[in-house]
Amino acid sequence: RVVTAVAGPVLALLNYLGARHPLRFDVTAEQQFSLSEQTLQILESLEEPVHVTLFFTPGHYNRMQVNDLIQEYALRSPKLTYEFIDPDLEPRRAMEYQVSRDGVIIFERGERREFCFGTQEQDLTSALLRASSDRIKGVYFLTGHQERSIEESGERSLYQVAEVLRNENYSVNTFNLAVTDTVPSD
């Protein structure tokens, strides 16, 4: 009887503390359920609040995956909040955000809105980075001497490299030294 009388309140206290201060451990060998170092750094460096609005119907095939991921983001940064909206049940909110399809994620910081259509960590982190940063760094690719293209996709192009840079919040342009020798200021 004494053990039961003591165990009950101890279990209640542990349950209360567990709900208030959740701990998660990724015990997979490849850490497949852990956020990347880059994502963690971006979340820690947030200076202003970012609100994420996720337009997903309950039956969307990626909803659970995105839910788990955005919960992890919110646990890592008190400046990130989120809400799920069912566009079928709340069509007015979907129209307000100009969302016309299921599975759209919008990151907002102040007046700035960034749309995200992917559901992987890389997609969400790229959109978060674009929404949370006002400064865009420039990257230029030289042209004019038969260099590889960044605009056309193909086997020998640099299109995919340019896309990765754009997703990392870089402004990607071309620069031709044959036309001018003045280097862009950015």
Side-chain angles (χ1 to χ4, degrees), residues 53-57 60-63 66 84-87 99-106 115-119 124:
T53 308
L54 302 101
F55 289 91
F56 282 81
T57 56
H60 190 280
Y61 60 95
N62 279 332
R63 182 180 170 125
V66 171
F84 276 90
I85 295 176
D86 183 341
V99 171
S100 59
R101 65 184 191 130
D102 197 5
V104 176
I105 305 168
I106 302 172
F115 287 74
C116 178
F117 301 100
T119 58
L124 273 66

Side-chain angles (χ1 to χ4, degrees), residues 5-73:
V6 171
V10 168
L11 288 175
L13 178 64
L14 289 174
N15 190 32
Y16 174 79
L17 290 174
R20 294 279 182 202
H21 307 285
L23 294 175
R24 292 179 164 190
F25 298 100
D26 184 357
V27 294
T28 59
E30 291 83 29
Q31 299 292 297
Q32 68 186 55
F33 299 110
S34 297
L35 296 176
S36 70
E37 282 300 316
Q38 180 184 19
T39 298
L40 293 173
Q41 288 174 355
I42 292 168
L43 288 167
E44 289 172 13
S45 69
L46 288 178
E47 295 176 2
E48 296 179 53
V50 175
H51 183 72
V52 185
T53 308
L54 302 101
F55 289 91
F56 282 81
T57 56
H60 190 280
Y61 60 95
N62 279 332
R63 182 180 170 125
M64 286 185 59
Q65 172 190 347
V66 171
N67 183 50
D68 291 345
L69 195 54
I70 202 69
Q71 277 183 358
E72 194 67 30
Y73 277 52

Side-chain angles (χ1 to χ4, degrees), residues 119-135:
T119 58
Q120 302 296 315
E121 178 183 351
Q122 161 186 333
D123 303 318
L124 273 66
T125 299
S126 293
L128 174 61
L129 182 61
R130 289 191 309 272
S132 64
S133 176
D134 289 327
R135 197 178 88 192

Side-chain angles (χ1 to χ4, degrees), residues 63-171:
R63 182 180 170 125
M64 286 185 59
Q65 172 190 347
V66 171
N67 183 50
D68 291 345
L69 195 54
I70 202 69
Q71 277 183 358
E72 194 67 30
Y73 277 52
L75 281 172
R76 300 299 182 135
S77 176
K79 295 198 178 196
L80 189 131
T81 58
Y82 68 94
E83 69 176 316
F84 276 90
I85 295 176
D86 183 341
D88 291 342
L89 295 179
E90 297 186 56
R92 184 170 291 171
R93 294 276 309 271
M95 285 182 6
E96 175 186 321
Y97 283 91
Q98 299 176 343
V99 171
S100 59
R101 65 184 191 130
D102 197 5
V104 176
I105 305 168
I106 302 172
F107 288 79
E108 293 180 276
R109 178 184 57 97
E111 296 295 315
R112 187 176 188 124
R113 280 188 184 168
E114 286 295 331
F115 287 74
C116 178
F117 301 100
T119 58
Q120 302 296 315
E121 178 183 351
Q122 161 186 333
D123 303 318
L124 273 66
T125 299
S126 293
L128 174 61
L129 182 61
R130 289 191 309 272
S132 64
S133 176
D134 289 327
R135 197 178 88 192
I136 298 177
K137 298 176 186 174
V139 173
Y140 289 84
F141 288 82
L142 291 178
T143 61
H145 297 95
Q146 299 177 342
E147 288 86 359
R148 296 179 183 186
S149 171
I150 64 166
E151 301 302 327
E152 300 171 10
S153 62
E155 189 175 308
R156 297 200 30 92
S157 78
L158 294 173
Y159 177 79
Q160 288 183 326
V161 172
E163 280 302 299
V164 168
L165 288 168
R166 286 183 186 108
N167 285 335
E168 295 292 327
N169 206 31
Y170 286 90
S171 168

